[in-house]
Amino acid sequence: MFLAVLRNGSTLAASRKLGMSQPTVARRIEVLEHETGLILFERDNRGFQPTEAGLALRPLAEGLEASALELAEKAKELARPRPIRITAYPANFSPRMTQILSDYSALHPKTRFEMIPSVLPLDLAAGEADIALRIVMSETDPTLIRRKISTARFTLFGAPSYAEKRGLPATPDNLDGHSFVTYQRDGLFSRHHDWLIRRLAPGQIIMSFAEAELLAAAIRAGRGLGIMNLKLAEPDEKAGRLIRCFEPPEGLSAEHLMLISPKAYKRAEVKEFTKFFAPRYATIFK
């Protein structure tokens, strides 16, 4: 009110700007002067001219105005529905998973999702995502909320073209005479690569990839044998594009987890979504 009169030069102009009656504006200025014990405006036929006291209070009033606007904007931001941000290995965003999301959206049309495909694990505690679907081979942050989805199992696969030329090993104890492709990437688990290294002679690993998709493509192309997740290899195995060498060795298994940021879990929509999603997502891996 004070700033509106000061900026517009009269209670009439201020009332138009504020969308209220001129008498109301004039009365509130009088109340303000009475409460402060100051004369803030000189009244004359030119309108309202700020006194020295009025000009002295202007920076403080503008600071309060800026804080009030910032408060209103922050409140609006907090009230605005935020998307649930889910990060996972790209292959996890399969048609079956997206169908679960679609089913949930049909029941909760106001809930939005943001998918973050990433091979590298994002920091949930730092707010980089709300939920992570991960295969983990080491201890996770104990502050995160955990939901076990399944036990991910891995074994060696080869292409029919490779098998025709060189055969396939029947056990993990005799890998002599075979060529291998492997996956290595900084910041990610290396258990599978290490498992191979312990069983192979120098030179048997002929290719190493930093992208899992390239590793899978090399195996399908018959370049060499390689370790793959049974569930991710399942479509190619059923179609005859890949052959499983032997049943998954126990040392290659890992936990498939749904990890949730504690801060995100305090949001009602995140908590409700995880209860809906986790059991349905787990059925994909049974």
Side-chain angles (χ1 to χ4, degrees), residues 42-268:
E42 295 289 352
R43 284 81 161 166
D44 57 30
N45 56 8
R46 293 175 301 164
F48 278 51
Q49 304 302 319
T51 63
E52 287 187 11
L55 292 174
L57 291 179
R58 178 172 187 162
L60 296 174
E62 289 178 333
L64 290 172
E65 178 187 50
S67 295
L69 291 173
E70 185 178 356
L71 175 66
E73 185 59 32
K74 187 63 178 178
K76 186 187 297 183
E77 177 187 328
L78 293 172
R80 189 181 304 126
R82 286 177 286 167
I84 299 175
R85 296 166 301 154
I86 304 173
T87 182
Y89 174 66
N92 282 57
F93 294 110
S94 64
R96 293 175 69 183
M97 175 187 167
T98 54
Q99 182 60 53
I100 298 172
L101 297 177
S102 177
D103 292 343
Y104 186 83
S105 294
L107 297 172
H108 305 272
K110 291 185 179 180
T111 301
R112 295 182 296 118
F113 295 97
E114 180 182 339
M115 305 306 168
I116 311 174
S118 176
V119 174
L120 296 175
L122 301 187
D123 190 341
L124 300 188
E128 293 181 346
D130 300 318
I131 296 170
L133 304 173
R134 293 182 189 162
I135 293 174
V136 299
M137 297 190 175
S138 58
E139 290 298 318
T140 58
D141 183 343
T143 66
L144 299 177
I145 297 165
R146 297 162 50 107
R147 298 283 186 272
K148 184 174 179 179
I149 299 301
S150 67
T151 296
R153 299 189 301 156
F154 299 79
T155 194
L156 276 178
F157 284 88
S161 59
Y162 181 97
E164 288 173 9
K165 294 177 183 177
R166 305 178 63 174
L168 297 174
T171 72
D173 300 320
N174 185 7
L175 304 180
D176 296 343
H178 291 283
S179 298
F180 295 84
V181 292
T182 187
Y183 176 83
Q184 281 186 295
R185 184 162 181 160
D186 292 342
L188 294 180
F189 58 80
S190 60
R191 185 189 294 184
H192 295 165
H193 179 76
D194 295 343
W195 186 90
L196 285 173
I197 289 294
R198 291 194 299 269
R199 290 164 172 79
L200 303 180
Q204 281 186 267
I205 294 179
I206 59 170
M207 293 181 181
S208 181
F209 298 95
E211 299 294 337
E213 291 83 357
L214 295 178
L215 171 70
I219 298 170
R220 285 193 294 265
R223 301 282 186 264
L225 307 178
I227 296 174
M228 292 184 67
N229 183 315
L230 263 64
K231 277 295 177 181
L232 296 183
E234 187 176 67
D236 284 321
E237 193 176 9
K238 288 182 177 179
R241 292 187 291 266
L242 287 176
I243 303 171
R244 188 183 310 189
C245 295
F246 40 75
E247 288 306 301
E250 194 57 41
L252 296 182
S253 297
E255 283 192 310
H256 186 178
L257 300 178
M258 181 179 187
L259 299 172
I260 311 153
S261 157
K263 184 177 180 181
Y265 198 65
K266 291 179 181 178
R267 292 162 48 193

